[in-house]
Every structure is written in C-alpha cells, then in structure tokens.
Amino acid sequence: MSRAVTDLLSILDLEQLEVNLFRGQSPKSGWQRVFGGQVIGQALVAATRTVEGRHPHSLHCYFMLPGDPKVPIIYEVDRIRDGKSFTTRRVLAIQHGQAIFAMSASFHVEEDGFSHQAEMPKVPGPDELPSEEEVKGGLILKMPEPMRTYYERERPLEIRPVELNRYMSRDPGEPRFHVWIKTTGRLPDVPAIHQSVLAYASDMTLLDTSLIPHGRTVFEPEIQPASLDHAMWFHRPFRADEWLLYAQDTPSAGGARGLSRGLIFTQDGTLIASVAQEGLIRERRR
C-alpha cells in the first residue's frame, strides 16, 4: 500500500470522543483550506460508525465555511431515526465553535427489487490513456502551474482524464468531462471504507466541469471556486481501488454558480453511484 493511501485511510479513521462525537484530522499538505471531499468522507465515516448492518444509499451535504487545516474537525452525529428498513443520520462538522458543514445520510437494509441503469459512455479505457509517468514525462510542461504541482506530489488517487487537452487550452468545450479514477494502492475488504473513499474522490474535478463551456478552470487565480452543496447516491457494490469512470456534465451555470452532475461506472459498465453538486465559480474582479 502506498504511503499516500495509508495517509488517506488514517485521515478517514476518526477518533471517537463520545457516543456520537468524533474528531478528524487534516493532512499536513500546506493547503489554505480543507479539501471538501475530505469533510464529506469523514462525515460519512462518522455517520456509518453509528449504524449497524446497513449501508449508506444517499447523502446530502452543505458547505457553510472554509475548513481550517491547522486544527481538528469535530463531527457531531444526530441519530434522527432507526426504522425497520431505513436509518437516518445528521452530521455537523464544527471548528472554532462554528458549524462549517452539515450532512444528512440515509442507510438501507439490503433488498431485492426492480433494476435498471443508464448506459456507460463510450470513451477510451484507462489503459488507452496517458499514464501518470507519461504525463510527468512531457505533457505536464504544457499544464498550468497548479496542475503541475498536483501531478508532481504523491497522491492517494490516480486520475486519468479522457479530455486531458482541456487543461492545455482556453477554448470553450462541450459541457462534459470523463475521468478514470482509482486509489494508488489496494484498500481493505471493507465496503464502508470504499464508500468513504469514493465520497472523498467525488468532490474532485466535478466543480471544474462547470467551467468547460467557458474555456476556464478552477486552477486559474482569477476564478474563486468553492463547493456549496453536494449530493451522492450509492447504487451497487464496488471497489474504489479498481478503475471507475466518473462521467460528468454541466447542465447550467449562472449567478456565479455552476451545477455539475456525475455518473460513476465500473469498467464493465455497471453504474455504482451518482453525484450532483452546485458550486461557486466567481470571477474575481480587479
């Protein structure tokens, strides 16, 4: 297991302070604020720790304040309801005495029922795309500085964008983006870990998709980006340490906010999760 994956699992392994109270740490990465996916993943871990025999099928989140990476985050779980089929939890993330994030999550017993799914887009597979070594070997020189920094450091997730050229041009593009993702090391055989890792990863690249029709990216200093809300639905079992296609699109942007959606598929075309997010994409004025 890579050191970056070990660090990610350590971040998601919360310290229990009381029956419904947990404490999470942030990586010492030098970020000015906490990565939104980290808070989503940690909040899901906190909620899951209070539920037995059921897996999450949906979560709905609001980001209220930027997180401070220099201090721990306290997660307070409210056990809203334990029903015969469904369990509901509400999680509040707190720093400096203020709520910075809120999440509602629902858990469901396993049941048989009707089944259908959307078809996976026909895009090149991960083995047909440049590997990280190939990106670092030449393509990285054509990318903006924040992207180069991202690829140069050790990370827990390997990302292979299908439309990689969008980071090398400011030409407006079609309102969709496809990226293959997986962890850089094998994860334990615990479904809750894979769900929390995917929740962590689901916040990556999604907001940026809402800028594709405008030929811009969240990596530009003129853009002020921030996740505002985030929703996720788990449909079927999966492993986050195997390649997953994150197929994203953006149906609307306006009022300095962008809306993006995502469908997540296994390599064999099974739809395992859906995501929706609205975020701030404010253009800074001089």
Side-chain angles (χ1 to χ4, degrees):
M1 186 182 297
S2 71
R3 186 182 67 181
V5 172
T6 300
D7 290 345
L8 174 59
L9 293 179
S10 175
I11 290 167
L12 294 175
D13 187 17
L14 304 182
E15 175 189 2
Q16 184 161 1
L17 303 177
E18 248 296 345
V19 175
N20 298 316
L21 212 58
F22 303 86
R23 177 162 55 198
Q25 304 291 339
S26 297
K28 304 298 185 283
S29 60
W31 291 351
Q32 292 183 332
R33 62 185 183 187
V34 176
F35 168 53
Q38 172 195 321
V39 188
I40 298 171
Q42 288 181 332
L44 182 58
V45 169
T48 302
R49 294 268 183 92
T50 69
V51 179
E52 292 186 10
R54 299 177 181 186
H55 298 297
H57 69 90
S58 71
L59 54 89
H60 300 263
C61 315
Y62 281 96
F63 297 88
M64 294 173 282
L65 287 171
D68 182 352
K70 298 186 293 295
V71 300
I73 304 173
I74 302 300
Y75 294 91
E76 183 179 28
V77 181
D78 189 358
R79 303 184 186 222
I80 301 295
R81 184 174 185 271
D82 292 293
K84 292 181 179 179
S85 299
F86 292 89
T87 294
T88 307
R89 294 290 185 264
R90 183 168 56 209
V91 183
L92 207 59
I94 302 166
Q95 280 189 319
H96 303 297
Q98 292 183 298
I100 66 168
F101 169 93
M103 181 188 80
S104 293
S106 182
F107 297 74
H108 187 202
V109 298
E110 291 189 16
E111 288 190 47
D112 294 327
F114 299 109
S115 181
H116 73 272
Q117 66 157 78
E119 184 178 350
M120 184 171 75
K122 293 177 172 58
V123 299
D127 296 333
E128 303 173 68
L129 299 170
S131 66
E132 297 223 340
E133 290 72 22
E134 292 172 317
V135 171
K136 293 176 181 178
L139 293 174
I140 194 172
L141 299 177
K142 303 177 183 178
M143 295 181 177
E145 179 61 31
M147 283 296 294
R148 292 202 297 270
T149 302
Y150 175 80
Y151 272 100
E152 286 168 351
R153 66 170 180 255
E154 187 179 7
R155 293 169 289 108
L157 294 166
E158 182 171 358
I159 297 178
R160 294 190 184 181
V162 174
E163 298 88 358
L164 182 61
N165 287 336
R166 73 162 301 247
Y167 293 114
M168 307 169 201
S169 169
R170 292 192 66 166
D171 294 333
E174 292 295 316
R176 60 186 59 90
F177 190 59
H178 304 88
V179 58
W180 290 95
I181 58 174
K182 73 177 181 68
T183 58
T184 55
R186 187 169 177 82
L187 299 174
D189 298 329
V190 180
I193 291 178
H194 292 261
Q195 290 162 338
S196 297
V197 168
L198 188 61
Y200 171 98
S202 68
D203 191 40
M204 303 182 75
T205 74
L206 190 57
L207 179 57
D208 195 40
T209 297
S210 65
L211 286 166
I212 292 177
H214 310 279
R216 310 295 294 275
T217 78
V218 297
F219 300 108
E220 298 176 29
E222 298 85 9
I223 300 295
Q224 181 184 353
S227 300
L228 297 175
D229 58 33
H230 192 96
M232 189 170 189
W233 298 264
F234 296 102
H235 307 308
R236 296 169 182 86
F238 65 93
R239 293 192 65 92
D241 53 11
E242 297 177 353
W243 283 116
L244 299 170
L245 177 65
Y246 199 176
Q248 307 168 14
D249 76 328
T250 175
S252 176
R257 301 186 312 277
L259 176 65
S260 299
R261 304 175 297 193
L263 299 177
I264 305 178
F265 300 86
T266 59
Q267 269 194 279
D268 66 5
T270 301
L271 177 64
I272 57 97
S274 300
V275 188
Q277 181 185 84
E278 187 176 47
L280 179 71
I281 46 172
R282 178 183 292 145
E283 188 170 19
R284 291 187 170 97
R285 305 295 182 184
R286 297 194 176 190

